[in-house]
Amino acid sequence: MRQRPRPKGSVIAALDIGSSKIACFIARVMDDEGRFQVVGIGHQAAIGVKAGTVIDLAAAEASIRQTVHAAENMAAEAMKGYPLREVMVNVPGVHGKSHNFNVEVHTLGHEVADTDIRRALSKAQDQAVVTGRELIHTIPVGYSLDGNPNIRDPRGMVGHNLGVDIHLVTGDTPALRNFATCIEASHLDIAAMCLSPYAAGLSCLVDDEMDLGCTVIDMGGGVTSFAVFQGGAMVYADALPLGGQHVTSDIARGLTTSIADAERLKTLYGNAMATLADENEVIDVPIIGEDDRTHPNHVPRSLLVGIIQPRLEEILELTRARLNESGVGQMAGRRVVLTGGASQIPGLRDLAQLILDKQVRLGRPIRVSGLAEAVNGPAFATTAGLLSYVAERSHEIPAAVTAQAAPGSLWEQVKVWFKENW
Ligand SMILES: Nc1ncnc2c1ncn2[C@@H]1O[C@H](COP(=O)(O)OP(=O)(O)OP(=O)(O)O)[C@@H](O)[C@H]1O
Ligand SMILES: [Mg+2]
């Protein structure tokens, strides 16, 4: 299914609520093909969010409000003074769940049309809805016609039975409700939601990677989430409640220093893998709680790396285990793209290559053009991908499927009933 491009001049906005930072990008559609340009940016440290979950409503609300205001101010001219009305919001990987369905619908020897595909998608949606979870994505990933598999696009083809493989993603309603409360406090509507690793993939992967099979791993502050792409679609996603902040707190505990100093040491001297030179290099570690910073502890750099490496190994090993259990191993291909703020630690690519036994590259948002240097790094892959999702894949929003699958006139309803039942 394809979607119509957004009209020229329309505004789209993305709000990425992370465990470390909250970011908002506002973009304006520049041409009739739906290409857009980012015109407003806001980002700041996330307060009130931990491991992808709201832990303090008032603090999270304030962080979101300030971030959105900053982006609105920057975009004021492009928005002609109108306030932002709705935003596209991320769903942290830990609150999402993948479901795979195969649904058959009768096409009675007619040419397959978009409506037949939507009927299949809508049937799958009905099966997936359970209390406590809500639909986030409805993605057709493969088709068969009268038992012939591997049909790339069945529209226009003639057959009696259309089979659709569907990947549905649902989200944990209470967790999402808390995000919604924070966003609505800023008088913003949620246009739709998108799973964080899906957005990260949409901004970091090139077409061939999405087609041939690739796993994107978004290593953030509190969550490491991953999504498998194949045939141009996301076929699986999962997440672990672990990220760069866990590395930082391991350092703070291990070297008896403050979180702020541990973060600095990690960024300045950290490495994912030990080297021989680490033994001889000595680094200064300020002692926690002591005002006098002139007498720090002197420790070999190897001690720091020795704290970082096991935690990163743990995260990568758990990711590997989840991918193996998922049964999508073959589809995931031989390629991994690592992104997210925590992917910036030197040596992580080599460590991931070793543990995952795949070809690994580092990813940043390459599919959204015109991003300033400060926001085109891996920490903003998800934020940028939310814009790509609205611009390119709005037809995967469950509400859009339901609206378009519901037949309009009574005559159309009768036709669908006959198709379904005879
Ligand atoms: N240069 C760097 N080297 C190593 N780690 C870094 C670097 N810059 C940022 N980080 C780490 O990246 C993490 C934040 O990443 P990111 O901004 O992607 O997280 P987030 O999106 O806010 O959180 P999440 O997606 O997990 O909810 C922090 O733990 C931070 O320590
Ligand atoms: Mg993130």
Side-chain angles (χ1 to χ4, degrees):
M1 288 196 304
R2 289 180 203 108
Q3 76 175 67
R4 253 178 283 130
R6 299 240 149 191
K8 188 175 161 184
S10 56
V11 167
I12 53 180
L15 180 64
D16 174 11
I17 307 173
S19 314
S20 292
K21 53 104 189 44
I22 296 180
C24 177
F25 287 177
I26 300 176
R28 199 172 52 164
V29 178
M30 302 304 288
D31 57 25
D32 293 328
E33 264 113 72
R35 276 186 285 257
F36 58 84
Q37 191 180 13
V38 176
V39 289
I41 289 162
H43 61 96
Q44 67 161 51
I47 308 168
V49 184
K50 198 171 176 195
T53 302
V54 177
I55 53 160
D56 181 337
L57 268 180
E61 264 174 41
S63 301
I64 290 171
R65 194 175 320 115
Q66 286 157 14
T67 309
V68 173
H69 272 174
E72 272 181 318
N73 284 341
M74 186 171 159
E77 202 181 310
M79 292 173 69
K80 301 185 179 77
Y82 288 107
L84 195 60
R85 287 212 323 268
E86 53 174 34
V87 284
M88 180 75 211
V89 182
N90 70 310
V91 172
V94 279
H95 300 308
K97 193 168 189 294
S98 273
H99 312 259
N100 283 294
F101 288 93
N102 179 278
V103 174
E104 288 228 335
V105 289
H106 301 303
T107 46
L108 303 176
H110 296 300
E111 282 184 9
V112 175
D114 267 343
T115 43
D116 298 309
I117 299 172
R118 288 200 189 100
R119 268 192 302 134
L121 300 178
S122 176
K123 251 184 165 181
Q125 288 189 174
D126 292 345
Q127 290 174 37
V129 178
V130 288
T131 20
R133 301 203 71 79
E134 60 193 84
L135 285 163
I136 310 290
H137 298 293
T138 304
I139 308 170
V141 296
Y143 302 97
S144 66
L145 202 54
D146 295 341
N148 293 322
N150 304 324
I151 306 268
R152 184 93 194 183
D153 184 353
R155 285 171 311 165
M157 294 172 75
V158 175
H160 287 273
N161 276 311
L162 170 70
V164 187
D165 292 323
I166 301 162
H167 178 208
L168 285 176
V169 178
T170 59
D172 176 37
T173 306
L176 301 183
R177 193 58 241 150
N178 290 331
F179 280 119
T181 306
C182 297
I183 295 162
E184 283 156 8
S186 297
H187 307 290
L188 286 170
D189 288 333
I190 298 175
M193 293 179 289
C194 178
L195 198 69
S196 293
Y198 189 22
L202 292 179
S203 73
C204 292
L205 302 188
V206 297
D207 285 344
D208 275 354
E209 287 170 329
M210 266 192 220
D211 274 340
L212 299 173
C214 182
T215 304
V216 61
I217 303 180
D218 175 7
M219 209 181 257
V223 180
T224 295
S225 53
F226 34 98
V228 176
F229 287 76
Q230 224 260 338
M234 175 176 71
V235 294
Y236 172 76
D238 203 352
L240 305 164
L242 295 171
Q245 287 168 350
H246 295 81
V247 177
T248 304
S249 47
D250 287 351
I251 297 171
R253 241 177 264 127
L255 299 183
T256 334
T257 192
S258 68
I259 290 285
D261 283 321
E263 181 73 25
R264 191 179 53 82
L265 291 169
K266 178 176 84 169
T267 323
L268 280 179
Y269 308 109
N271 205 302
M273 285 174 96
T275 61
L276 278 176
D278 296 344
E279 276 309 326
N280 306 325
E281 198 178 331
V282 172
I283 56 174
D284 291 349
V285 179
I287 303 164
I288 191 164
E290 299 219 352
D291 290 338
D292 180 14
R293 294 178 71 94
T294 51
H295 293 95
N297 277 336
H298 304 291
V299 303
R301 189 177 176 183
S302 57
L303 198 61
L304 174 72
V305 178
I307 294 171
I308 297 172
Q309 185 168 350
R311 180 62 92 171
L312 293 174
E313 281 172 353
E314 181 200 15
I315 296 176
L316 290 166
E317 278 164 10
L318 287 170
T319 303
R320 181 184 61 194
R322 290 282 181 94
L323 285 168
N324 288 344
E325 280 162 24
S326 71
V328 291
Q330 285 301 316
M331 286 202 251
R334 301 266 321 127
R335 200 157 171 80
V336 165
V337 173
L338 260 180
T339 191
S343 71
Q344 294 171 97
I345 197 149
L348 186 63
R349 195 180 77 97
D350 293 337
L351 186 67
Q353 204 140 305
L354 209 69
I355 294 179
L356 302 172
D357 190 24
K358 300 216 190 234
Q359 226 181 62
V360 182
R361 77 165 172 94
L362 296 178
R364 53 178 201 84
I366 45 170
R367 291 166 77 103
V368 172
S369 57
L371 285 176
E373 177 107 16
V375 288
N376 75 1
F380 294 92
T382 299
T383 328
L386 292 172
L387 293 177
S388 304
Y389 180 73
V390 198
E392 296 162 17
R393 307 212 175 203
S394 296
H395 56 273
E396 295 171 1
I397 297 171
V401 173
T402 314
Q404 288 168 343
S409 68
L410 183 64
W411 169 234
E412 275 168 317
Q413 288 184 41
V414 172
K415 273 203 306 197
V416 168
W417 187 84
F418 264 96
K419 274 191 177 182
E420 287 286 1
N421 294 284
W422 299 90

